[in-house]
Structure formats: C-alpha cells, structure tokens
C-alpha cells in the first residue's frame, strides 16, 4: 500500500494547511538539494498520527495513540541505486541516512535503466482524500463508536456467542517527496475504519463473520452496516457442511472479488512483466479475459481507497486502462520498470512507507460494472456456489504460474437463490482460465480497503473440492 | 549511521525509566511498562542478473503501556529522550484519568527475570547435552552453529553482495529452463529494554540473518516458481553452517520439477508431510487455537478442553523459544519474560495454552514467555515461538511405502486458520503423487483444507526424523519470526484443493 498514496496540496498551495505539512516539503527539498555532481538524490519524508480503540464486553480493551515520522533516501549515481531510511526526522539522523544511501549505491550493479523520476508535465487531478473533521473529532466519540458497535453486535441476535473484536481506527498521514531532478510534491490523507468480528452458532457449530465500514472521516462511517454485515456473514453459515467435489460456477462476493483483483494487480505490475515474472508478459493485444471484462486502474477517483494526487515518485496520478473488452492493453510502470520496458512511467509507483523503495503497482483497480445487481447475477447463474470469504490466498495463488487454489466458505446457489451453507471446501482453477470464464459482472461496485474495488462476479467451470 | 549507541550502553537510563513509569501511573492504574527498541539492519536484493539495491535502516523508539482494570492504554514515540518518553506515558495514562490515586514505583533490577548483557546471548550456541526436540536423538535442521556471534554490521557489504551473486550463478546453472532468479540477504540487530511497575527490568540484543532465493523456470506448460530460504537467530556465521549454493539449487530444483507437474488432485486423500516440509500444519491446525487471547474470548475450538484427548496419541506438540539459533527464539520475550519450553499437547492430551502477561494476569497465572510484538509501535500479544511436533518411532520410508495412494508434500508454503471454527488451509510448493507406496509424479501448487481438531485425530504415522523451518507469522496486523518443525508424518485424510478429478 502506498503511504504517499494520499492526496493533498501541491507544493506551494500549502498556506493554511498547517506549518507541519509545509515543513515536510522543506525537509525533502533540503535533502534533495544536497545532491553532488553526477548524482541524483530523492527524499521521501512521511509523518502520521494514528488512533486505535478495541472494545470488549462493554469496556475499552485497549486504546492506542501514536505519532511516527521517518525518512527514506535514494541516491543514484552511474546507474547504481542505494537506499537508506530512519524512523526520525532529526537533522543529524537525516545526514546519516544520506551518507548511508550514498555508500550503499556503490555496491549495486550499474544499470542504464536506473534513474529517479523526472517531471512529465501531467497536471495533478483534484483528488480529495483528506477529511479535516477527523482532527477535531473527540477521542470520546471514537471510544463510544467502538463500544456501541460491540454492544450492538452482542445484542443483535441470540445466536451471537462472542464479539471477538470491535475496533475503531483512524490515521492521518502526510508525506512529501523531492528529487534533485525537479520533483517536489506533497500529499496527505485520512482514513477511518470501524470493524467488528462476531462468532455465532448453534450446538457444536460456530462460525465467524467480519463486518466493517471505511471512510475518510468519522461521518462517512456506517457502524450499523458493519454490525449487520458481520452478523449476516456468521449466522448464515450455521449448519454448514462440506459440499460434494465437482465442477461448479462460483459467484464471488464483492470483498472476495477485491482480493482477487489484488492478486491480478501483481501480474499487471510492469516490474513483474519486465522481469518475466508475470503470466501476462508478452501478451499485450491478446484476448486474456472474457469480452465483458474491462479493467482500469484509476487512482484519481477519490472514492478509491488508494486514491492519491501523486504516485510515490511524485508524478501526477492518472487513469490507466489495463484490460479492455477482454484484450490486454498494458501494464502499470514506475520510472525504472518503464525504462526497462522502453516506455514511460504511468505514475504507478507505490511504497510501503519511508522504509522501502518505490515499486510499480496498481492502486485503484476496478472492473467496469455490468448491468445486473447481485441478485441478478445469482439468477443468471442458476446453480453454483456463492463464496463469501476465502483463505490461503498467499499460499495458494501463484501470480507467476497462474495456479489458483483457495479455501472457501459460503452458500449453495440453487435455482438462482442462495440455499444451504457450505464450509471447509476449496475452489481451484488457474488465473488464466478464471479470467476467460467470467460469465457475469455485477453493477454493485463497492470501494473497499486495498488496491481494488469489489463487486459480485460469476466464474464458470471452477473445481470445488469437498467430500 | 549517526547517533550510534555503543553496545552495552542501556537504551534508556534506569532512572529515566523509573520516572517514566511513575508518570504513567500518576493518574492511577494497575500496571505500567516501558518497552524501548533500537533496530538496525542491512538488506541487499539481487534480481534479473543485477545487484539492484543495498539498503540500510534504523528504527528506534519506545512504547508505554498502562493497564487499568480491563483497559490498556498505549502510546509510542520515536523520541527516546526523557521528555519524549514522558509524553508517551502521559498519552497512555489518559485511559486512567478520572480514577485518581497515585503510587510510588520502584524498579527492582535485582529481581529481574532475565537481565542479559548483549554479548552473552550467544545466539546459535546450543547448550551442551540439550535434548534435541526431535525426541529420537535427532539434531535440529542445519548444523549447530559453532563459535561466537559474527556481528553482521562488522561484515563488509561487499561480502553480503557476493553471496547473492553466487546464488544467481548456481541457480542459473541448474538448467536452461531457469529464466529468472532473485535473491535476498537481510540482517537485523534488535536491542530491547523492558521495564515494568512490577519490577521486571530486562534487556536483550538479538541478531537475525536470512537468505532466500526465488527462481522462475519456463517450459511448454508455462512458468513455475521455486523458493528456498535459510533464516536463523544468528549473525553472519549463518553462512559457516548454511551454503548459499544449496539454497539456490533447492529453489531451482523446485521450479524445474514443477515444469512437468500435473494438476493436484481434488478431494480427500492421505497426505504424507516430509520432515521439514514446513511444520505449518500444526502452527495452523492448533497452534493459533492454543493462544490464550483466543481461549479467554472463547474464540477457539480448543477452549475449555484442557486435559482432554484432542489429538492422536502420536501427537506431542511443543512451543519452545529457547532453542539456540532457531528463527523463533529469543532470550526474553517483549514483556521481559524469559523464553520457555511449553508442552502444549502430550500424547494427544491438551496440556496447556500459551500466555502473555495480560492474559495470564486475568487467569491468575504467570506468562509462559509468549508475549511478543512486531516493534515498539505495537502492543504485545500471545504469539508462538518455535512450534513443533516431537519425533516418533517410525521410518519415513515405511510411511510412504504403506500409503497406497496419496500426496507427498516435500515443501509447504504458508497457511491460514479461522480459530473460531478450526478450519485451516496450507499450501504446497513442492508435492508429489504417491501411487502404490511410491513417490511418482510432481504436482502443481495447491492449498489443502482441514479442520484442526479433526486433522489432529487423523495423524496416523510419525517418523523419527525431524527438522525445523523458519517462517513469518502474521496476526492482527503484526508479523513476527517463528519456527515450525515436524518429523515425517501422515494424516489419513485431508481435502486437497487441486483441479484434477479423482
């Protein structure tokens, strides 16, 4: 996830947004200006404030509040890159980080493609991912939201056995980037999150369900929906059994689809492609998916969790079409992977914070919506399996070979309607076959945490393993 | 780096810690703790035929925890000065506001459970005569690392980079089908100091070193991947005991073997797990379910089952943070408690859970040394250390020979569990079909799915061999290094999530 993936004011528009924000850009420019002859220097500085509250049995189980700051410096000289970071913005620490990055550059293999980003003239879109009201929202209200969610989940249904967690979390992150090649950008973002995990059951049979609501500020949150979602997901699995093995049409709920698109994102990274580590390498222009499939990465869409005015190298974010009507159009690139591929950056650099270097990645993937709502997708399928959650994505999905095998739980679909619950099964195929096998895409686009939106989709001819 | 702190100098002065704890309890509270951490490390990445990047980093800070009744307040800061720590104490103590009261705090370092000077940790040195966890006299995986710690920060970066180049050459020489190789080196030195209002005062320095190789091979059936890693709680002497050539050729061999692999079966079959294939089966099938936080919230299928037969009598499961040099080992946990050996399941009977300080206080017992955190930015919670199944009597070859049809897993990937239902998955990265008691064709990657309590009952053969594998365990957003180990064993029926019909 990109820490810079937040929007904010362009450098120079910062008046009134608080001196701390301005300081970050100055710090970054100060470091970049220390570049010596024949050397490029990039400074990424970030600062964040977070709150986390967990409620349990009517009390606050923990309350955590924290501020952190850090700097990451890249130095490129003679085609060699070096990197260093520290979790501090003190002057002497910064000097040490720059010296370390310079030293580290000497050990890299010279590579003509290695360079920092340069301004490309693309104007930044208006992306709004900062909610000013978060800063003035009282702590008591945050605590009360966690307590209320826990209380509501416990009281909602007699089959609820436990509310194993009820959390409120928020974060405000400010970041700035400057390079000796002319980049100077800053961004800021807020995010609020309320989530609840319930265990519901009858007799020996227990199931868990997680519900959440995410927004830029507290007023965007819908705690009632989080509770209702957790309850529905846990209670509808009660009595679930293994299903019979065989070939089935699988309908994935929006959250699962978002996870699947996240896996696809790693195969669409220009870095993976140029290094021959993607099942899409060398396939631009080919039919890689069903004709209904159009996939776009658009971090300028403020609704997206990963929306940001700039990428992690300080270039203005832009919309990139990756698959159009089933045909592979291209990939996302940062500066180095673009050079390697003989193209230009798509402003798709992300970094995991000040402690890591940028890599090319999707930030705001979404499938073009179809015409059917979720119920319509089920009807169109007739018989199959509805999967509400999957496990083992990191162990069972290989974005290089395309092999796909995950644990699943959900409900049987019979006659176009949801029927009895299913648990402890796997669904398997290959990513290549799944993309070609998409038979319905829902209109129910939902922006979820992570790099992709979710919506209901149906994929035919997957292998279900049960009994 | 600037601001280097000489080894041996305390991260925070004793007097300062005492004043910070006093401030943390000024508004009342039952317990307060300061956890200070200084972590530095070097990593180097090789990919696509080049040393791409050498990186160094430093993260330093402290977290202050205040407990009042059932409530914990936590705040952390990167500022280790007294004023920075007092500010964190003030923030953490807000949870105690309104309850009044104050108490005098005295830190009694004399009664510290483990006060270790950084040097005497000697990671990697195994106490003489210490019983190997295999139980059948077998050594742990990897030769014991003899000799003293080689502080990685004293090793020139060029030597670290050379290891990567060797790995690349070896992997590429494994066959023309090898089309891409990446290799990574990383070392971390972590100094911690933990002090609490209950008199704990412990300091520790731990060093970890890790080396991994990832290979892509390409053939008529598409691309396949192979991966291998060595990681131990030791310094650069890791490479005296482990050969990067071996790591590289294992990774290449795995990728190449899968080029001719057929899709894994779909459905229930017996599964034989090779010694050291990952051990993740038990980490997921029951390890997480035996963590006291899940138990106290009745969010585990193993809650309320102490003393019951929960597994086949062949199963004796241990969590042991004291194993010298293993990836999940440490001298003291992140709450200042010495690492310990805890028998969780003995001959199939559930004997104990794993505890951190808070969960143990609630239950009126002491911590089992399982309180860990990713960094000073995180609250500690119950975590595993090195979790392993003890070896039995059987011969690994006999176990395969007595399996008419099944799957032989030579290497596992990761896994995931829902502790509330016990359902868990784990993935294969090297697996073969067993036909008529013989290992035959290679299989493509797949996840296997099972239910913890059911799978534990189905362990029907355990061999006398044993080995450990390093891994990273994620829980509630925090990652910590863990070890997993097991002898060759068989589970009579597991659902295999492949695509080939049976």
């Amino acid at each position: 996830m990109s820490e810079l993936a937040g929007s904010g004011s362009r450098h120079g528009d910062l008046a009134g947004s608080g001196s701390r924000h301005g300081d970050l850009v100055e710090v970054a420019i100060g470091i970049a200006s220390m570049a010596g002859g024949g050397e490029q220097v990039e400074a990424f500085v970030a600062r964040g404030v977070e709150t986390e509250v967990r409620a349990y049995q009517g009390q606050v189980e923990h309350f955590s509040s924290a501020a952190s700051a850090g700097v990451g410096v890249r130095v490129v000289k003679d085609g060699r890159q070096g990197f260093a970071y520290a979790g501090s913005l003190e002057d002497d620490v910064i000097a040490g980080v720059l010296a370390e990055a310079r030293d580290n550059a000497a050990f890299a293999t010279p590579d003509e493609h290695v360079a920092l980003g340069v301004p490309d003239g693309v104007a930044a879109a208006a992306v709004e991912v900062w909610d000013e009201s978060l800063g003035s929202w009282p702590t008591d209200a945050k605590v009360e939201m966690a307590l209320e969610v826990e209380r509501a989940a416990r009281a909602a249904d007699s089959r609820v056995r436990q509310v194993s967690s009820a959390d409120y979390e928020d974060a405000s992150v400010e970041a700035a980037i400057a390079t000796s090649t002319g980049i100077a950008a800053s961004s800021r973002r807020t995010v609020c999150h309320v989530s609840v995990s319930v265990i519901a059951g009858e007799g020996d049979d227990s199931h868990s369900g997680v519900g959440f609501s995410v927004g830029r500020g507290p007023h965007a949150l819908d705690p009632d929906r989080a509770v209702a979602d957790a309850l529905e997901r846990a209670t509808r699995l009660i009595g679930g059994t293994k299903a019979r093995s065989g070939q089935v049409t699988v309908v994935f709920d929006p959250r699962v689809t978002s996870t699947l698109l996240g896996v696809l994102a790693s195969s669409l990274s220009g870095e993976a492609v140029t290094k021959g580590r993607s099942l899409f390498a060398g396939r631009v222009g080919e039919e890689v998916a069903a004709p209904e499939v159009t996939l776009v990465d658009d971090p300028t869409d403020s609704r997206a969790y990963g929306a940001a005015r700039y990428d992690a190298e300080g270039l203005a974010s832009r919309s990139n079409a990756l698959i159009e009507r089933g045909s592979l159009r291209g990939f996302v690139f940062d500066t180095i992977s673009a050079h390697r591929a003989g193209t230009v950056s798509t402003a798709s650099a992300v970094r995991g914070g000040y402690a890591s270097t940028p890599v090319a990645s999707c930030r705001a993937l979404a499938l073009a919506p179809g015409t059917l709502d979720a119920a319509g997708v089920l009807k169109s399928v007739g018989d199959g399996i509805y999967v509400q959650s999957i496990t083992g994505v990191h162990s069972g999905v290989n974005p290089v070979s395309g092999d796909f095998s995950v644990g699943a739980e959900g409900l049987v679909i019979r006659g176009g309607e949801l029927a009895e619950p299913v648990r402890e099964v796997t669904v398997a195929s290959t990513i290549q076959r799944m993309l070609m096998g998409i038979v319905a895409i829902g209109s129910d686009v939902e922006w979820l945490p992570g790099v992709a939106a979710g919506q209901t989709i149906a994929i035919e001819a997957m292998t279900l393993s049960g009994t | 780096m600037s601001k280097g702190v000489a080894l041996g100098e305390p991260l925070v002065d004793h007097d300062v810690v005492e004043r910070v704890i006093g401030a943390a309890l000024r508004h009342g509270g039952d317990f307060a703790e300061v956890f200070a951490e200084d972590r530095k490390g070097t990593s180097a990445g090789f990919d696509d035929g080049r040393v791409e990047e050498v990186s160094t980093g430093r993260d330093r800070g402290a977290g202050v925890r205040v407990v009042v009744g059932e409530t914990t307040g936590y705040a952390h800061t990167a500022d280790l000065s007294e004023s920075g720590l007092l500010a964190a104490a003030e923030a953490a103590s807000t949870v105690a506001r309104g309850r009044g009261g104050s108490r005098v705090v005295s830190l009694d370092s004399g009664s510290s459970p483990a006060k270790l000077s950084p040097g005497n940790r000697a990671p990697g040195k195994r106490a003489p005569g210490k019983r190997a966890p295999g139980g059948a006299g077998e050594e742990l995986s990897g030769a014991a690392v003899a000799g003293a710690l080689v502080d990685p920060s004293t090793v020139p970066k060029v030597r670290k980079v050379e290891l990567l180049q060797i790995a690349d050459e070896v992997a590429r020489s494994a066959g023309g089908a090898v089309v891409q190789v990446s290799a990574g080196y990383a070392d971390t030195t972590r100094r911690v100091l933990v002090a609490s209002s209950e008199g704990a005062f412990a300091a520790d320095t731990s060093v970890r070193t890790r080396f991994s190789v990832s290979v892509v091979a390409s053939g008529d059936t598409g691309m396949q991947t192979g991966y291998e890693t060595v990681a131990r709680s030791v310094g650069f002497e890791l490479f005296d005991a482990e050969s990067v050539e071996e790591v590289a050729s294992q990774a290449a061999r795995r990728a190449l073997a899968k080029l001719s692999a057929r899709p894994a079966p779909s459905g229930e079959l017996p599964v034989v797990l090779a010694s050291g294939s990952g051990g993740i089966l038990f980490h997921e099938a029951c390890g997480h379910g035996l963590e006291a936080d899940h138990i106290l919230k009745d969010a585990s299928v193993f809650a309320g089952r102490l003393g019951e037969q929960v597994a086949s009598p062949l199963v004796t499961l241990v969590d042991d943070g004291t194993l010298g040099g293993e990836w999940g080992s440490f001298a003291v946990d992140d709450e200042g408690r010495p690492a310990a050996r805890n028998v969780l399941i003995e001959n199939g009977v559930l004997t104990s859970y794993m505890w951190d300080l808070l969960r143990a206080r609630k239950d009126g017992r002491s911590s089992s040394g399982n309180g860990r955190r990713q960094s000073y930015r995180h609250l500690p919670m119950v975590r595993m250390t090195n979790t392993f199944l003890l070896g039995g009597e059987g011969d690994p070859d006999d176990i395969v020979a007595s399996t008419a049809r099944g799957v032989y897993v030579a290497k596992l990937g990761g896994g995931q569990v829902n502790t509330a239902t016990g359902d868990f998955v784990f993935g294969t990265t090297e697996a073969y079909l067993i036909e008529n008691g013989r290992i035959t064709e290679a299989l493509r990657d797949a996840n296997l799915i099972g239910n913890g309590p059911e799978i534990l009952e189905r362990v029907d053969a355990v061999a006398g061999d044993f080995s450990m594998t390093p891994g990273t365990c994620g829980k509630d957003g925090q990652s910590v290094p863990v070890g997993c180990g097991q002898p060759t064993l068989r589970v009579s029926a597991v659902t295999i999530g492949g695509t080939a019909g049976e």
Side-chain angles (χ1 to χ4, degrees):
Chain A
M1 205 129 330
S2 160
E3 285 290 316
L4 191 71
S7 105
S9 323
R10 201 186 177 96
H11 176 229
D13 307 336
L14 294 166
S17 66
S19 61
R20 296 182 67 216
H21 195 40
D23 285 342
L24 284 188
V25 187
E26 282 164 28
V27 170
I29 291 174
I31 299 167
S33 70
M34 290 186 243
E39 178 185 73
Q40 296 181 339
V41 174
E42 173 196 77
F44 175 89
V45 291
R47 182 155 47 201
V49 182
E50 302 164 18
T51 307
E52 186 188 316
V53 190
R54 172 165 291 178
Y56 182 62
Q57 289 183 334
Q59 304 206 47
V60 175
E61 181 177 308
H62 67 244
F63 180 97
S64 174
S65 91
S68 55
V71 57
V73 174
R74 276 200 295 167
V75 170
V76 175
K77 190 170 187 184
D78 304 328
R80 301 166 192 256
Q81 171 174 299
F83 180 72
Y85 70 88
S88 163
L89 293 180
E90 289 170 48
D91 288 345
D92 58 340
V93 171
I94 286 171
V97 170
L98 177 59
E100 281 279 349
R102 278 184 176 134
D103 184 51
N104 290 342
F107 299 96
T109 312
D111 179 352
E112 55 177 332
H113 302 305
V114 169
L116 299 180
V118 290
D120 63 2
V122 175
V127 179
E128 279 315 318
V129 288
W130 176 268
D131 187 335
E132 196 67 40
S133 73
L134 177 60
S136 54
W137 209 49
T139 300
D140 287 351
K142 300 175 183 181
V143 170
E144 186 45 43
M145 186 178 280
L147 289 169
E148 177 50 34
V149 161
E150 204 253 353
R151 201 157 40 225
R154 233 171 247 287
D157 191 306
S158 61
R159 292 169 296 175
V160 171
R161 292 181 159 163
Q162 186 59 278
V163 180
S164 45
S165 68
D167 298 343
Y168 168 88
E169 287 170 57
D170 65 40
S172 309
V173 180
E174 304 167 288
I177 185 166
T179 67
S180 59
T181 56
I183 299 276
S186 68
S187 65
R188 53 182 192 163
R189 67 197 292 251
T190 51
V191 62
C192 277
H193 195 248
V194 61
S195 65
V196 58
S197 174
V198 306
I199 299 170
E202 283 172 358
D204 286 345
D205 194 29
S206 284
H207 294 275
S208 62
V210 177
F212 59 82
S213 173
V214 182
R216 294 294 164 198
H219 307 296
L221 298 181
D222 186 348
D224 295 342
R225 194 186 156 202
V227 171
D229 208 11
L231 279 170
E232 181 184 41
R233 283 168 180 271
T235 55
R236 70 182 176 187
L237 291 179
I238 294 173
T241 54
K242 290 187 125 174
R244 188 159 291 284
S245 302
Q247 293 272 307
V248 292
T249 298
V250 178
V251 176
F252 291 107
D253 100 338
R255 271 197 226 167
V256 180
T257 302
S258 171
T259 304
L260 298 182
L261 292 180
V263 172
L264 211 54
S266 52
S267 301
L268 292 164
S269 156
E271 165 139 5
V273 171
T274 54
K275 290 177 176 170
R277 213 172 266 129
S278 164
L279 56 94
F280 293 123
R283 299 188 63 197
V284 172
E286 289 182 24
E287 298 300 313
V288 296
E292 293 85 353
V293 176
T294 290
L295 183 67
V296 176
D297 185 51
D298 185 6
T300 69
D301 186 333
S302 298
R303 296 171 301 169
Y305 187 83
R309 193 170 287 190
Y310 298 100
D311 82 342
E313 290 185 302
L315 297 179
S317 295
R318 58 210 72 172
S319 176
N320 293 297
L322 302 172
I323 298 174
E324 260 178 18
R325 291 184 296 280
S327 169
L328 182 63
R329 295 299 304 272
F331 306 109
V332 294
F333 293 99
D334 64 348
T335 299
I336 294 175
S337 64
H339 288 173
R340 199 159 276 148
T343 181
V344 293
S345 171
T346 58
S348 304
V350 304
R351 55 210 300 168
Y354 61 80
S356 38
T357 51
V359 292
S361 174
C362 300
R363 289 182 281 160
L365 275 179
L367 286 166
T371 53
L372 299 171
D373 61 9
V377 171
L378 293 177
K379 264 195 184 62
S380 74
V381 163
D383 295 317
I385 296 283
Y386 179 80
V387 171
Q388 74 170 33
S389 74
I390 58 175
T391 54
V393 173
H394 62 302
S395 60
V397 183
N398 187 326
V400 179
S401 67
D403 288 329
F404 182 99
S405 166
V406 297
E409 58 185 17
L411 302 151
V412 168
I413 307 166
R414 190 173 295 112
E417 306 277 342
L418 294 178
E420 69 273 15
V422 172
R423 59 166 271 259
E424 204 195 325
V425 298
T426 60
V427 292
S429 181
T430 64
I431 294 172
Q432 295 91 327
R433 283 207 303 273
M434 288 167 70
L435 283 171
M436 298 304 290
I438 294 177
V439 289
I441 297 174
S443 57
D444 53 341
V445 180
E446 190 178 341
W447 289 97
L448 295 165
V451 302
Q455 62 221 89
T456 305
I457 61 169
I459 298 178
E460 64 181 9
M462 294 191 70
T463 305
L464 182 140
S465 297
T467 54
Chain B
M1 302 281 292
S2 63
K3 284 212 159 174
V5 179
L7 282 178
E9 189 182 320
L11 270 177
V12 182
D13 281 344
H14 196 284
D15 295 352
V16 173
V17 170
E18 212 165 297
R19 287 196 289 273
V20 171
I21 288 178
L25 292 174
R26 194 163 59 223
H27 305 290
D30 305 317
F31 173 81
E33 172 199 70
V34 175
F35 174 84
E37 179 184 41
D38 184 1
R39 187 195 292 262
K40 57 179 183 170
T42 298
S43 65
F46 190 104
D47 197 3
D48 202 22
R50 284 178 292 268
V51 180
E52 280 205 325
E53 182 180 292
V54 173
S55 164
T56 43
R58 179 87 181 258
D59 259 313
R60 224 162 24 134
V64 178
R65 172 159 72 141
V66 178
V67 178
V68 186
E70 298 293 305
T71 302
T72 297
Y74 193 68
H76 66 74
T77 176
D79 182 356
L80 286 182
S81 70
E82 182 164 3
S83 62
L85 294 170
L86 287 171
E90 178 68 20
S93 72
T94 50
V95 296
R97 288 235 169 101
R99 292 174 193 249
S102 69
R103 51 188 282 197
V104 178
V105 179
S106 169
L107 297 176
D108 178 9
S109 61
S111 69
S112 69
K115 189 178 183 186
L116 298 171
S117 66
N120 75 7
R121 169 77 210 279
K125 202 184 282 178
R126 189 172 299 130
K130 182 162 181 169
R131 196 167 81 93
E138 243 70 25
E139 272 291 271
L140 281 171
S141 70
V145 182
L149 169 76
V150 179
D151 179 353
S153 68
T154 66
V155 176
K157 288 171 187 166
V158 68
R159 284 192 59 200
K160 301 172 181 175
V161 164
E162 277 165 11
L163 296 175
L164 300 172
Q165 285 160 332
I166 294 167
D168 180 68
E169 281 163 26
V170 170
R172 285 183 191 275
S173 70
V178 170
V179 293
Q180 192 55 280
V181 177
S182 70
Y185 164 91
D187 62 59
T188 320
T189 301
R190 182 190 192 222
R191 298 176 61 210
V192 298
L193 178 150
V194 197
S196 79
S197 58
E198 292 184 343
F201 191 91
D204 186 29
T205 297
S206 56
V207 180
R208 286 190 162 85
T209 304
R210 182 174 186 275
F211 190 87
S212 62
V213 178
S214 171
V215 170
V216 181
S218 184
D220 298 342
T221 55
M223 292 187 288
Q224 286 292 345
T225 56
Y227 179 77
E228 178 66 1
T229 182
V230 287
R232 291 174 64 78
S233 297
V234 301
F236 202 74
E237 76 276 16
L238 173 71
F239 302 103
D240 297 339
E242 301 280 358
S243 133
V244 298
E245 289 89 343
E246 178 59 22
V247 176
S249 58
Q250 279 280 12
R253 189 187 54 70
R254 270 186 198 122
L256 292 168
K258 278 190 283 185
L259 286 180
S260 57
R262 49 165 285 183
S266 159
E268 280 195 351
L269 279 176
V271 169
V272 177
L273 297 180
S275 157
S277 59
I280 191 126
L281 172 78
F282 294 96
H283 179 100
E284 304 295 354
C286 58
H288 281 296
L290 300 178
E291 293 166 341
D293 44 356
H294 298 305
I295 297 295
L296 292 187
K297 286 190 171 180
D298 204 14
S300 164
V301 285
F302 295 100
R305 300 194 61 192
L306 277 182
E308 288 181 26
Q309 189 85 31
V310 298
S312 145
L314 297 173
V315 173
T316 292
L317 188 76
V318 176
D319 181 83
D320 190 346
T322 71
L323 296 176
E326 288 303 336
W327 190 235
S329 297
F330 44 79
V332 292
D333 74 2
D334 298 327
E335 300 182 306
R337 186 91 192 161
R341 180 179 204 271
N342 296 293
V343 178
L344 307 172
I345 297 174
E346 193 160 14
N347 302 324
V349 176
L350 181 57
T351 50
S352 67
Y353 301 124
M354 289 169 279
W355 302 84
D356 66 358
L357 196 127
L358 273 199
R359 262 49 74 154
R361 279 168 64 98
K362 238 179 225 186
D363 205 58
R365 62 170 59 234
S366 50
S367 161
S368 58
N370 290 91
R372 304 181 68 188
R373 50 183 131 198
Q374 180 177 315
S375 80
Y376 74 87
R377 295 191 174 93
H378 301 88
L379 271 169
M381 59 179 151
V382 188
R383 302 305 294 263
M384 283 176 258
T385 63
N386 304 296
T387 312
F388 48 87
L389 188 81
L390 291 189
E393 306 290 319
D395 180 317
D397 296 337
D398 291 347
I399 294 178
V400 174
S402 63
T403 306
R405 182 172 176 76
V407 167
Y408 180 82
V409 179
K411 190 74 181 171
L412 287 166
Q416 189 177 348
V417 64
N418 179 339
T419 58
T421 62
D423 289 352
F424 70 101
V425 294
F426 56 105
T428 65
T429 63
E430 184 185 0
Y432 301 86
L433 210 55
I434 300 174
E435 293 169 298
N436 303 317
R438 292 185 49 229
I439 294 168
T440 60
E441 288 178 272
L443 299 173
R444 297 178 70 132
D445 295 350
N447 260 321
L448 283 72
I449 192 162
N451 181 267
E454 284 170 22
I455 293 292
L456 292 180
E457 286 169 16
R458 291 182 194 166
V459 174
D460 70 355
V462 176
D465 55 352
F466 181 86
S467 85
M468 296 282 296
T469 313
T472 301
C473 172
K475 177 179 173 184
D476 221 1
Q478 295 192 43
S479 295
V480 295
V482 296
C484 291
Q486 118 263 322
T488 299
L489 63 93
R490 183 175 58 205
V491 183
S492 60
V494 185
T495 299
I496 298 150
T499 57
E502 272 302 292

